Amino acid sequence: FPVTIGGWLRRLKWTYNHKEFTGEEIGEYFGMVYLITNTRTGRKYVGKKFFTKAARRQVKGKSRKVRVASDWEKYFGSNKVIQEEVKTLGEDVFKREILHLCKSRSECAYWETWEIFNRDALRTDDYYNDWVSCRIRKAHLLSNRTPAMYKTKMRRPTHFR
């Protein structure tokens, strides 16, 4: 998905902390929680994506489960409305930001759900999100806990205060 910017042809990337994020920074992370914003309308989408996906490979004549790279670099979410808008408006209309880098599937689920609820995304048309579903085990979170998880507390939306 190349885009011309100032005469230069470049691919649209993800950003993390206002800097371009590439596969070189993945390291020990399992996935990410992201925010995609339609820059024309301001409408947003919160989601999660894993950097790898399950696959099967033949090893010594036997089929083995392995993890292979996912399509995270060109991913625009699972929401059908946003996917259609990307096709009709073009990818350059959308800004893609990584909100959290996560070390486990449970941590991704936790932070995605936290962001959706904290932003009140299901109760406003400002977001493409129209459902949330998660299964999170406390033990999985505690074993992969990051310093940011200790500090962050759920803020109650202002209309509930």
Side-chain angles (χ1 to χ4, degrees):
F1 41 108
V3 172
T4 304
I5 299 175
W8 291 90
L9 192 64
R10 59 180 262 132
R11 291 181 151 273
L12 293 174
K13 296 285 184 182
W14 290 94
T15 60
Y16 181 62
N17 291 333
H18 307 289
K19 295 178 187 163
E20 192 172 295
F21 182 85
T22 64
E24 296 168 8
E25 291 101 357
I26 290 175
E28 63 191 24
Y29 295 107
F30 184 81
M32 64 180 173
V33 174
Y34 61 85
L35 179 69
I36 297 177
T37 305
N38 180 326
T39 58
R40 288 189 188 161
T41 64
R43 200 166 179 205
K44 301 173 182 180
Y45 180 74
V46 175
K48 69 176 181 247
K49 182 69 176 167
F50 304 138
F51 295 124
T52 60
K53 63 181 180 178
R56 294 204 168 264
R57 293 266 164 89
Q58 286 281 28
V59 178
K60 296 183 181 179
K62 294 188 179 199
S63 180
R64 301 272 186 220
K65 288 183 184 179
V66 294
R67 305 260 342 147
V68 297
S70 71
D71 63 345
W72 70 271
E73 290 178 286
K74 47 189 172 174
Y75 191 70
F76 276 89
S78 60
N79 182 279
K80 302 297 182 210
V81 176
I82 199 170
Q83 289 174 354
E84 194 59 39
E85 285 187 13
V86 168
K87 284 180 189 174
T88 58
L89 300 174
E91 296 170 353
D92 56 325
V93 172
F94 294 87
K95 179 178 159 188
R96 300 186 303 168
E97 303 169 76
I98 297 173
L99 302 174
H100 304 278
L101 290 171
C102 306
K103 294 185 178 182
S104 70
R105 184 181 307 264
S106 290
E107 191 177 340
C108 279
Y110 174 85
W111 283 116
E112 179 192 30
T113 305
W114 187 91
E115 289 289 347
I116 289 170
F117 289 147
N118 198 44
R119 294 166 180 271
D120 213 14
L122 298 178
R123 296 169 48 104
T124 176
D125 289 334
D126 294 342
Y127 286 82
Y128 292 97
N129 297 79
D130 51 9
W131 63 276
V132 64
S133 174
C134 69
R135 285 179 35 176
I136 304 167
R137 289 192 53 156
K138 184 177 184 177
H140 292 165
L141 284 176
L142 295 176
S143 66
N144 291 304
R145 193 173 263 193
T146 61
M149 291 181 79
Y150 288 111
K151 296 176 186 170
T152 306
K153 293 189 178 178
M154 181 70 109
R155 292 187 311 269
R156 197 172 176 135
T158 53
H159 61 276
F160 289 126
R161 291 182 188 157

